[in-house]
Amino acid sequence: MKQDIYIKLDNHVRTGHKEICLKDVASVYCGDGNLKTRAEQVVIFSFDGEEKEVISILYIYGKLYEAVGEDIQIHSIGESDCVIDLTDGKRPPKLWSKIQVVFVSLVTFFGAAFSIMTYNEDAGVPDVFKTLYEMILGEPSGNGVLEVTYSVGIALGVIIFFHHFEKKGRRDPTAMEIQMDKYEKDVVEAYVKSSDRRGKSLDVGE
């Protein structure tokens, strides 16, 4: 009777060692503990020159059958392809990381400010304020209350939208985190398709 092995392959993995085992790229479940351990220790491939590789689930099937034997039934419940990045495992200096954070924050701040200003000009927000002042005060200019409340409202809306006041611990992902996750998935998918077109991915029969 064949033993069932369940594999949940990740779509993107970063690792600091060149020899890649199944446990490095996927979660493995099997009713037989010894068989599970053997499957997790199966070497899928080793980096040789390249620092990024794409492997197919079918390629993993072949390696498992070759190493463990034919008396297994493999079930995939994860991704069909996985992108593996080889890193040196070293973290950048703290000073350089802080400089990068400051630079990105400044670019984001001034970029957002410019976008809001150009939107206000295109939408004619100053003209709207003048009309409101004329309707309420009888003159085209006021004491700046509308401008101040409008600016404060935008700031509060952004802060609340991005969950900056939420308690730490278990929480919903912020809008920025969701967009970054979508961006990473798009990058991984594009790299997989590019590797397939160039015949660079590790697939069945290779």
Side-chain angles (χ1 to χ4, degrees):
M1 185 176 178
K2 292 187 176 182
Q3 288 280 357
D4 292 317
I5 297 179
Y6 297 87
I7 299 175
K8 185 180 180 182
L9 183 66
D10 295 329
N11 69 336
H12 190 200
V13 174
R14 293 182 177 89
T15 180
H17 46 273
K18 293 186 176 182
E19 190 174 79
I20 306 301
C21 298
L22 180 58
K23 65 179 181 180
D24 297 322
V25 297
S27 300
V28 181
Y29 173 80
C30 180
D32 187 332
N34 293 330
L35 181 58
K36 175 180 179 294
T37 302
R38 287 177 58 199
E40 288 178 332
Q41 298 297 330
V42 172
V43 177
I44 304 302
F45 79 99
S46 298
F47 279 102
D48 184 18
E50 296 287 338
E51 294 185 352
K52 181 176 288 191
E53 190 64 77
V54 178
I55 59 172
S56 166
I57 187 64
L58 296 180
Y59 183 81
I60 293 177
Y61 278 19
K63 289 294 183 179
L64 274 177
Y65 283 126
E66 179 182 331
V68 178
E70 298 291 337
D71 293 332
I72 57 174
Q73 184 70 40
I74 305 173
H75 306 273
S76 174
I77 58 174
E79 302 291 335
S80 58
D81 298 282
C82 177
V83 176
I84 307 175
D85 282 322
L86 179 63
T87 61
D88 56 10
K90 297 180 180 179
R91 292 186 177 182
K94 290 185 177 180
L95 178 60
W96 176 241
S97 297
K98 291 180 179 179
I99 292 175
Q100 289 178 317
V101 170
V102 171
F103 177 75
V104 173
S105 299
L106 290 175
V107 171
T108 303
F109 175 80
F110 287 108
F114 181 77
S115 299
I116 292 173
M117 288 188 291
T118 54
Y119 168 78
N120 289 338
E121 287 297 322
D122 291 340
V125 174
D127 296 333
V128 174
F129 286 159
K130 289 181 182 179
T131 302
L132 289 175
Y133 280 130
E134 289 179 350
M135 292 173 59
I136 298 172
L137 302 177
E139 55 185 26
S141 61
N143 53 11
V145 174
L146 290 178
E147 287 82 358
V148 172
T149 53
Y150 176 72
S151 301
V152 172
I154 290 178
L156 287 177
V158 171
I159 291 173
I160 294 173
F161 182 74
F162 287 105
H163 294 228
H164 286 297
F165 289 138
E166 193 165 318
K167 294 181 180 179
K168 293 182 179 180
R170 296 191 63 180
R171 59 176 178 80
D172 294 333
T174 65
M176 180 65 73
E177 290 171 335
I178 292 173
Q179 292 302 318
M180 291 300 295
D181 184 63
K182 289 181 178 179
Y183 171 76
E184 183 176 359
K185 287 181 178 178
D186 289 341
V187 170
V188 170
E189 183 179 350
Y191 188 82
V192 170
K193 290 181 178 178
S194 175
S195 297
D196 288 342
R197 285 194 297 266
R198 293 183 287 112
K200 294 293 184 178
S201 59
L202 295 179
D203 207 337
V204 62
E206 297 182 8

